[in-house]
């Protein structure tokens, strides 16, 4: 019993939320840079308000992030101190190809990530690299329309070929697209989509997703050809849909919602569009322009593992007058049996076990939990010995319950799970709100919502707790 000795413990970040240095090292502007803090943020993330360059009226938190670009050595050293065996991070596409369609990669960008991976290697930490965590070079958006354009497949192939070749031997775990289903909810942030008045947004989203799926299958093929050791995963913003009650209409609504979510990874994991998707597109009169070559590439290049983020289960009803909630950009019915975080995201550890079982039943492929955690306000306090810390017992409690749930899924249900990387292991900018004060980390970063602060790092109480969890391979959760 217990988790396998190869189980990978670690934590997760993304370039757009921590790296900063947006205009250093030859990096080009990207969609993630121009998503402002404040009232305009939701409309920009949805592609409704067009923002393709920086202006002086807004504050853009991603430009500096937590300045991982200049702090990576110190940060990785602290992660190593916790005993990390893996570190999930992402590549800024425009750091490698500043415009996206450049003929040759930017050497400074390549060197930066090589240095980061070598730093990980120094401590025996295996990088888990998301190739695109919401990033899209701005030039690909203004010139080609982002993922609406089929040409993006070629640019993506260029990017991944460079990455797999350059980092062969340094990286073997890769994710093609972060939360691929997010394209339906935050299409500018997820895929660089900007909409014109009256445009058929649903068509544009599914068409773009199709291009991403084909690109993802190509990446899988290229990765395996360049290094058979490479393991490629898809990535889902997961969370089981519960019917609000046993009313058959509610159960059906939950099934439909679940399918909306799983459609994309169904293709990535099984190699073809399921019948329910074909029927849906038919009903909508949607022609995605799927070619014979697309079909073949999808069929022959399914992913090696299924990775996902889990913050909460979701709930849905067909009845009127029931309360609503939102978690991770997914609006739904409020589940009366669950508590919520300070940001209203509902908390459901058993939901993690349920989600894991559903995904494993459906795909029969190993799982990897690459995001989970509690976004909360932290208070830095003096620890009595002249240093500062955060007494984040609430975070420890959340993570403990979720680790117990994942262990049950593995030990009692037989789910195959490769590892666990809680989100924002070091505090970083929130994706949904752009806030710094929505913190997830074991490490506190002194930075405020408005960008002020020293950027100094502090160990929270959860830092020592997680260190013990890792050292005991999940046995000691006290
Ligand atoms: C996921 C994203 C992450 C991350 C996380 C937490 O959707 O993949 O980038 O930010 O959610 O969300 P938030 O930062 O909004 O609290």
């Amino acid at each position: 019993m217990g988790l396998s000795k190869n189980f990978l413990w670690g934590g997760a970040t993304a370039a757009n939320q921590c790296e900063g240095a947006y205009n250093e090292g030859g990096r080009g502007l990207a969609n993630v840079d121009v998503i402002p803090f404040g009232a305009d943020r939701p409309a920009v993330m949805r592609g409704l308000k067009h923002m393709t360059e920086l202006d002086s009226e807004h504050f853009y938190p991603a430009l500096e992030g937590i300045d991982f670009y200049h702090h990576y050595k110190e940060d990785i050293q602290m992660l190593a101190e916790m005993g990390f065996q893996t570190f999930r991070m992402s590549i800024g596409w425009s750091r490698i190809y500043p415009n996206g369609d450049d003929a040759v990669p930017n050497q400074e960008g390549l060197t930066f990530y090589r240095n980061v991976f070598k730093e990980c290697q120094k401590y025996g930490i295996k990088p888990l690299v998301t190739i695109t965590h919401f990033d899209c070079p701005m030039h690909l958006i203004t010139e080609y329309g982002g993922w609406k354009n089929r040409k993006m497949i070629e640019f993506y192939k260029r990017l991944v070929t460079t990455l797999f070749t350059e980092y062969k031997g340094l990286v073997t775990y890769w994710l093609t697209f972060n939360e691929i289903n997010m394209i339906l909810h935050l299409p500018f942030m997820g895929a660089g989509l900007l909409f014109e008045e009256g445009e058929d947004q649903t068509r544009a989203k599914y068409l773009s997703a199709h291009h991403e799926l084909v690109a993802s299958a190509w990446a899988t093929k290229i990765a395996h050809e360049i290094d058979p050791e490479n393991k490629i995963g898809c990535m889902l913003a997961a969370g089981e849909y519960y019917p609000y009650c046993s009313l058959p209409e509610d159960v059906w609504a939950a099934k439909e919602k679940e399918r909306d979510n799983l459609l994309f990874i169904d293709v990535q994991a099984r190699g073809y569009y399921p019948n329910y998707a074909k029927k849906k597109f038919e009903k909508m009169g949607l022609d995605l322009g799927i070619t014979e070559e697309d079909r073949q590439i999808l069929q022959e290049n399914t992913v090696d593992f299924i990775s996902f983020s889990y913050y909460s289960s979701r709930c849905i009803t067909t009845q009127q007058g029931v309360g609503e909630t939102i978690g991770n950009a997914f609006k739904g019915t409020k589940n009366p049996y669950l508590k919520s975080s300070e940001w209203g995201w509902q908390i459901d550890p058993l939901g993690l076990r349920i989600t894991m079982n559903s995904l494993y039943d459906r795909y029969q492929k190993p799982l990897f939990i690459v995001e989970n955690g509690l976004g909360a306000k932290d208070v830095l306090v003096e620890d009595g010995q002249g240093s500062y810390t955060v007494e984040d017992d609430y975070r420890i409690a959340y993570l403990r319950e979720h680790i117990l749930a994942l262990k049950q899924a593995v030990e009692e249900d037989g789910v195959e799970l490769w590892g666990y990387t809680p989100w924002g292991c070091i505090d970083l900018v929130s994706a949904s709100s752009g806030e710094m004060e929505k913190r997830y980390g074991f490490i506190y970063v002194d930075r405020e919502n408005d960008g002020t602060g020293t950027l100094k790092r502090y160990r929270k109480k959860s830092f020592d707790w997680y260190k013990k969890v890792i050292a005991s391979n999940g046995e000691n959760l006290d």
Side-chain angles (χ1 to χ4, degrees):
M1 286 295 264
L3 296 169
S4 129
K5 63 177 182 9
N6 300 323
F7 191 83
L8 292 170
W9 293 95
T13 61
N16 78 85
Q17 287 157 266
C18 73
E19 212 174 78
Y22 81 103
N23 59 358
E24 289 182 51
R27 184 183 178 280
L29 196 70
N31 59 335
V32 289
D33 301 332
V34 299
I35 303 179
F37 181 77
D40 286 334
R41 189 174 181 87
V44 174
M45 292 196 290
R46 293 193 167 90
L48 304 176
K49 182 177 171 62
H50 294 200
M51 200 166 265
T52 53
E53 50 193 33
L54 303 166
D55 64 30
S56 54
E57 286 149 46
H58 292 90
F59 170 65
Y60 302 93
L63 302 185
E64 196 186 1
I66 55 156
D67 198 26
F68 176 77
Y69 190 79
H70 295 108
H71 290 75
Y72 73 91
K73 285 193 179 164
E74 174 194 346
D75 292 345
I76 293 171
Q77 187 270 322
M78 287 176 93
L79 303 178
E81 192 185 320
M82 269 186 282
F84 272 37
Q85 295 139 356
T86 187
F87 172 45
R88 179 176 176 228
M89 51 171 281
S90 78
I91 297 284
W93 186 344
S94 63
R95 207 174 271 297
I96 306 290
Y97 284 100
N99 298 299
D101 61 355
D102 318 69
V104 290
N106 168 32
Q107 285 305 323
E108 268 190 87
L110 289 174
T111 304
F112 169 68
Y113 291 112
R114 177 176 300 283
N115 290 341
V116 171
F117 299 146
K118 284 209 164 143
E119 203 62 22
C120 289
Q121 197 180 42
K122 192 163 120 188
Y123 299 104
I125 297 175
K126 293 185 169 78
L128 165 59
V129 175
T130 318
I131 296 165
T132 41
H133 193 122
F134 301 148
D135 281 76
C136 185
M138 189 53 82
H139 175 72
L140 295 183
I141 298 171
T142 49
E143 188 65 26
Y144 302 92
W147 280 97
K148 287 184 209 172
N149 193 326
R150 216 186 150 83
K151 288 199 180 120
M152 290 292 283
I153 300 171
E154 290 311 312
F155 302 138
Y156 190 82
K157 278 163 76 177
R158 194 178 299 175
L159 169 71
V160 300
T161 306
T162 302
L163 297 178
F164 299 148
T165 312
E166 285 286 330
Y167 304 129
K168 184 172 171 176
L170 282 170
V171 181
T172 49
Y173 291 94
W174 303 91
L175 308 179
T176 52
F177 289 93
N178 180 62
E179 299 191 329
I180 192 157
N181 49 328
M182 200 54 94
I183 195 171
L184 299 179
H185 307 277
L186 302 174
F188 178 69
M189 183 158 96
L193 308 190
L194 292 171
F195 300 113
E196 298 305 330
E197 191 85 21
E199 183 175 350
D200 183 346
Q201 293 187 18
T202 310
R203 180 180 178 280
K205 289 179 198 173
Y206 282 109
L207 183 69
S208 304
H210 176 65
H211 297 150
E212 289 190 345
L213 291 172
V214 174
S216 173
W218 273 108
T220 308
K221 180 177 164 63
I222 298 166
H224 290 152
E225 281 168 2
I226 292 178
D227 185 355
E229 290 298 306
N230 275 331
K231 303 269 181 282
I232 308 292
C234 56
M235 200 305 198
L236 170 78
E240 184 93 1
Y241 267 99
Y242 301 162
Y244 180 67
C245 73
S246 53
L247 185 77
E249 281 76 8
D250 277 14
V251 177
W252 180 247
K255 164 115 305 349
E256 288 204 300
K257 282 280 184 195
E258 201 63 58
R259 284 177 162 176
D260 279 349
N261 243 356
L262 296 176
L263 196 163
F264 308 118
I265 68 159
D266 272 357
V267 180
Q268 289 174 298
R270 305 197 288 209
Y272 55 90
Y273 280 93
N275 283 352
Y276 73 81
K278 290 186 194 153
K279 290 285 173 198
K280 180 190 180 93
F281 298 153
E282 226 173 85
K283 214 155 74 192
M284 290 170 154
L286 263 188
D287 176 6
L288 299 180
I290 305 175
T291 66
E292 243 342 283
E293 193 194 26
D294 289 355
R295 280 203 186 87
Q296 198 181 340
I297 204 82
L298 291 173
Q299 183 73 56
E300 291 173 358
N301 299 283
T302 54
V303 289
D304 301 309
F305 64 101
I306 314 288
S307 85
F308 62 96
S309 60
Y310 176 86
Y311 293 92
S312 182
S313 55
R314 298 161 187 152
C315 184
I316 189 81
T317 186
T318 52
Q319 300 166 75
Q320 300 300 313
V322 184
E324 285 204 333
T325 184
I326 188 157
N328 208 8
F330 292 77
K331 267 207 193 107
T333 304
K334 191 163 182 171
N335 184 332
Y337 301 103
L338 301 178
K339 292 200 180 110
S340 300
S341 79
E342 287 169 280
W343 271 264
W345 295 23
Q346 295 206 286
I347 300 172
D348 181 11
L350 180 54
L352 175 59
R353 181 177 179 182
I354 296 169
T355 301
M356 289 172 70
N357 274 276
S358 295
L359 291 173
Y360 193 64
D361 284 351
R362 194 171 178 111
Y363 302 117
Q364 295 287 294
K365 294 198 183 214
L367 307 183
F368 209 133
I369 304 170
V370 297
E371 284 185 35
N372 172 235
L374 179 72
K377 286 185 186 151
D378 287 341
V379 182
L380 202 57
V381 291
E382 227 264 2
D383 69 354
Q385 288 150 25
S387 315
Y388 288 86
T389 187
V390 174
E391 303 279 342
D392 56 346
D393 296 279
Y394 38 91
R395 182 167 295 108
I396 294 173
Y398 177 101
L399 293 171
R400 180 188 292 125
E401 292 299 310
H402 285 77
I403 293 172
L404 279 170
L406 75 82
K407 284 180 62 178
Q408 283 171 333
V410 172
E411 293 168 7
E412 292 175 36
D413 311 328
V415 171
E416 208 181 332
L417 180 68
W418 280 358
Y420 179 65
T421 58
W423 175 249
C425 47
I426 176 162
D427 290 349
L428 37 65
V429 175
S430 155
S432 56
S433 68
E435 290 161 301
M436 257 318 291
E437 68 173 359
K438 190 179 186 194
R439 298 172 183 276
Y440 288 85
F442 304 110
I443 300 167
Y444 183 94
V445 178
D446 178 22
R447 182 171 158 87
E448 306 297 327
N449 285 349
D450 62 3
T452 56
T454 61
L455 290 173
K456 200 167 157 6
R457 277 69 166 147
Y458 299 90
R459 290 163 186 78
K460 301 183 193 175
K461 187 172 179 184
S462 56
F463 184 101
D464 291 323
W465 172 81
Y466 195 46
K467 186 174 174 175
K468 277 190 263 168
V469 171
I470 297 178
S472 64
N473 200 20
E475 291 303 305
N476 183 357
L477 299 174
D478 298 339

